Amino acid sequence: MKLKCLLVDDEPPALEVLTAYVREVAHLELVGTCENALQAFAALQQQPVDLLFLDIKMPKMLGTDFLRSLPHPPQVIFTTAYREYAYEGFELSAVDYLLKPVSLERFLKAVAKATKTEAPPAPAEAPAGPNPDAFLYFRIDRKMVKVVLREVLYVEGLKDYVKIHCAAGPALVVKQTINSMEEKLSASNFLRVHRSFIVALDKVRTYSPSHLEVAGQEVPIGRMYRQQVGEVLR
């Protein structure tokens, strides 16, 4: 069964990108696009929607306020350029939270979550560990260096660079942002826990509301990430 999708965003380029992505997925059906919350409200009165792609910072009404106004909201995937709304988005039980510009890979991951929510519940299974053969190449000192993901403990953001901490050897410094690293690692066993840190989930030894312990090192948990981190680790 196809999921009926409604796209809500006040930026035409963002709507074009999401429209193209929806049309690439066989089990999604685009039923309309809207530029603000008022248009979206009218569209929802005319036909049922299974999945709402909702921008947050829009004129007239924020997407989060619009969602609160719906007595029976559909599944929602927030799309926004502002990370500070993430915590509020997860408080509203959003399926996922996509930061613009949205890549196709990240879009598909969010849709997979929505599809899983729609499906009947399956027996609980232990979370899968990282693919032992998974690796990425990074440019370091004019060479492409292979990094095996199972050896990565955590990634630390340093402005326009990241430091990749591994189980053996010195940390690797790569000219890349923490956001781009999050995209590269999103399909693996990694979780963003702070604006400056991504951790390998299977390397977490202990955690509290404010910190994780990875290989004897304390890694802070950002305030806006706490709910998601708690849900994943539980």
Side-chain angles (χ1 to χ4, degrees):
M1 182 182 296
K2 289 191 174 185
L3 295 180
K4 297 182 183 296
C5 302
L6 180 67
L7 311 182
V8 187
D9 201 306
D10 64 320
E11 299 176 356
L15 280 178
E16 290 176 8
V17 169
L18 290 175
T19 297
Y21 287 173
V22 169
R23 288 175 176 164
E24 288 290 327
V25 182
H27 63 274
L28 298 183
E29 177 184 347
L30 181 63
V31 298
T33 61
C34 303
E35 296 180 358
N36 55 58
L38 296 180
Q39 290 182 9
F41 182 80
L44 290 173
Q45 306 309 304
Q46 295 175 7
Q47 88 170 39
V49 169
D50 302 307
L51 183 57
L52 187 64
F53 289 88
L54 182 60
D55 188 17
I56 293 181
K57 198 165 185 180
M58 296 185 294
K60 300 183 181 179
M61 181 183 287
L62 292 176
T64 47
D65 292 336
F66 170 63
L67 183 59
R68 288 190 184 93
S69 73
L70 300 177
H72 304 290
Q75 291 192 89
V76 173
I77 295 174
F78 281 120
T79 61
T80 183
Y82 301 91
R83 182 175 290 280
E84 59 264 31
Y85 291 108
Y87 183 76
E88 186 177 8
F90 284 113
E91 276 193 325
L92 292 170
S93 300
V95 171
D96 209 338
Y97 184 97
L98 300 179
L99 282 174
K100 299 176 184 177
V102 179
S103 68
L104 178 58
E105 178 186 1
R106 189 65 183 83
F107 174 86
L108 293 175
K109 183 178 179 182
V111 169
K113 290 183 182 180
T115 305
K116 184 177 180 180
T117 303
E118 282 288 306
E125 297 180 359
N131 178 351
D133 300 320
F135 62 88
L136 292 171
Y137 277 100
F138 296 98
R139 183 176 295 279
I140 301 173
D141 295 332
R142 300 183 181 180
K143 296 183 294 185
M144 299 304 291
V145 177
K146 182 178 181 179
V147 175
V148 179
L149 297 188
R150 70 172 180 273
E151 298 176 357
V152 176
L153 301 173
Y154 63 95
V155 178
E156 180 181 359
L158 305 167
K159 292 188 177 180
D160 295 329
Y161 291 82
V162 295
K163 185 182 286 188
I164 303 173
H165 298 264
C166 298
L172 304 174
V173 178
V174 180
K175 185 172 175 54
Q176 194 161 133
T177 66
I178 191 77
N179 288 341
S180 63
M181 278 296 296
E182 183 180 18
E183 290 292 334
K184 284 181 169 61
L185 298 173
S186 62
S188 301
N189 186 47
F190 292 86
L191 180 67
R192 182 84 170 261
V193 300
H194 186 278
R195 65 182 180 180
S196 300
F197 288 93
I198 301 169
V199 302
L201 287 172
D202 63 327
K203 306 298 192 304
V204 175
R205 180 182 176 89
T206 65
Y207 72 96
S208 69
S210 60
H211 288 84
L212 300 159
E213 182 192 335
V214 179
Q217 297 293 319
E218 272 199 351
V219 176
I221 300 175
R223 182 181 59 82
M224 70 175 63
Y225 297 89
R226 286 177 186 170
Q227 181 175 354
Q228 183 188 15
V229 172
E231 289 174 356
V232 170
L233 292 179
R234 282 195 296 271

